[in-house]
């Protein structure tokens, strides 16, 4: 098991396909924080994020077992693409389930920015904002970064953060406060604005 942990993603994939089931556990363990954080940032609901995360790795396992995985040298990117597609599928299903009749209103309900699809430019701006924000979070001191990631990427409560990091709730709250202050300062220094028009 210890030797397997040292293997690359691609070696683990090959070993799993060859029948070594523990390799998939190592792969999931290795990438769960990144994949789950991304899903959580997109859907902002713990239970939904967990469902999509599980579905993503079920698809990974099925695809590997069928032998449909093409070794492109970037397993993590492939998993992120699967998760991203599942998030899009979820929102498409939700969109199709909402039925509103325009006949019951004096004004045109559908002539509203609330119902319009985001343009490619909006999506690119949003992706850029996420990327810049992630870069800034990585620059925070370890204890502040840890609290931000646990709170905003993993969706933990401050009580859970306090328990997991062996500090008081006040300390966890304080670290978050300092993290936000530091993020604001870094944004001002870089002249960044994280708002979508």
């Amino acid at each position: 098991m210890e030797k397997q942990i040292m293997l690359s993603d691609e070696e683990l994939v090959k070993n799993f396909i060859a029948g070594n089931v523990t390799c998939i556990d190592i792969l999931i363990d290795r990438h769960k924080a990144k994949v789950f954080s991304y899903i959580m940032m997109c859907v902002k609901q713990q239970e939904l994020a967990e469902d999509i995360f599980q579905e993503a790795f079920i698809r990974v396992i099925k695809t590997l077992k069928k032998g449909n995985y093409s070794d492109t040298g970037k397993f993590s990117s492939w998993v992120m693409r699967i998760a991203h597609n599942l998030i899009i599928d979820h929102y498409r299903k939700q969109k199709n389930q909402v039925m509103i009749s325009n006949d019951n209103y004096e004004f045109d309900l559908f002539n509203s920015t609330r119902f319009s699809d985001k343009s490619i430019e909006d999506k690119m701006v949003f992706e850029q904002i996420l990327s810049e924000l992630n870069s800034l979070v990585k620059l925070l001191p370890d204890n502040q970064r840890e609290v931000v990631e646990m709170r905003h990427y993993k969706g933990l409560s401050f009580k859970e953060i306090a328990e997991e990091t062996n500090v008081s709730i006040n300390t966890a709250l304080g670290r978050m406060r300092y993290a936000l202050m530091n993020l604001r300062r870094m944004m001002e220094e870089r002249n960044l604005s994280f708002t979508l028009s």
Side-chain angles (χ1 to χ4, degrees):
M1 181 77 170
E2 280 180 32
K3 283 181 184 173
Q4 289 175 334
I5 290 170
M6 304 302 288
L7 296 175
S8 71
D9 288 350
E10 305 313 321
E11 289 169 320
L12 288 166
V13 165
K14 283 174 189 161
N15 288 354
F16 173 71
I17 292 168
N20 188 338
V21 290
T22 57
C23 290
I24 197 68
D25 293 333
I26 297 167
L27 282 165
I28 292 170
D29 228 37
R30 188 177 286 176
H31 298 288
K32 69 181 175 188
K34 181 181 177 184
V35 176
F36 187 79
S37 296
Y38 174 73
I39 296 168
M40 190 66 188
M41 265 194 326
C42 293
V43 301
K44 307 227 177 350
Q45 294 173 39
Q46 182 84 19
E47 276 184 44
L48 177 58
E50 286 167 4
D51 289 346
I52 292 173
F53 176 82
Q54 283 182 340
E55 180 61 30
F57 275 99
I58 287 168
R59 287 203 186 176
V60 165
I61 292 165
K62 283 181 179 174
T63 305
L64 293 176
K65 282 185 175 178
K66 284 181 187 172
N68 292 341
Y69 173 69
S70 57
D71 183 358
T72 56
K74 203 68 180 143
F75 176 80
S76 65
S77 300
W78 177 62
V79 176
M80 291 296 273
R81 236 182 357 264
I82 291 172
H84 181 75
N85 290 340
L86 286 169
I87 292 164
I88 289 169
D89 289 348
H90 166 76
Y91 284 117
R92 276 194 190 130
K93 280 179 199 161
Q94 262 197 335
K95 203 174 184 181
N96 292 338
Q97 287 173 354
V98 178
M99 297 294 283
I100 300 173
S101 172
N102 209 27
D103 301 336
N104 302 334
Y105 298 90
E106 288 177 26
F107 58 93
D108 189 352
L109 267 181
F110 298 105
N111 190 10
S112 164
T113 54
R114 284 181 54 224
F115 292 103
S116 66
D117 286 335
K118 290 210 181 305
S119 69
I120 291 170
E121 185 185 1
D122 289 339
K123 289 175 185 167
M124 287 173 69
V125 168
F126 183 68
E127 291 293 326
Q128 182 64 32
I129 287 170
L130 284 182
S131 172
E132 288 174 358
L133 191 55
N134 280 334
S135 300
L136 292 183
V137 168
K138 286 176 186 166
L139 297 174
L140 290 170
D142 289 346
N143 60 4
Q144 292 174 23
R145 180 178 41 75
E146 184 179 41
V147 172
V148 170
E149 287 173 349
M150 288 177 159
R151 180 79 180 131
H152 292 288
Y153 297 171
K154 295 180 182 174
L156 299 183
S157 68
F158 281 106
K159 184 174 186 280
E160 291 168 324
I161 292 168
E163 286 167 4
E164 207 155 301
T165 56
N166 291 323
V167 297
S168 70
I169 290 178
N170 283 342
T171 301
L173 286 165
R175 287 177 180 174
M176 176 60 83
R177 199 172 125 251
Y178 285 118
L180 293 175
M181 285 165 57
N182 282 327
L183 285 171
R184 277 192 203 104
R185 179 183 50 75
M186 288 189 281
M187 283 165 57
E188 284 166 13
E189 285 170 2
R190 289 164 177 77
N191 205 17
L192 295 173
S193 171
F194 290 146
T195 56
L196 287 169
S197 54

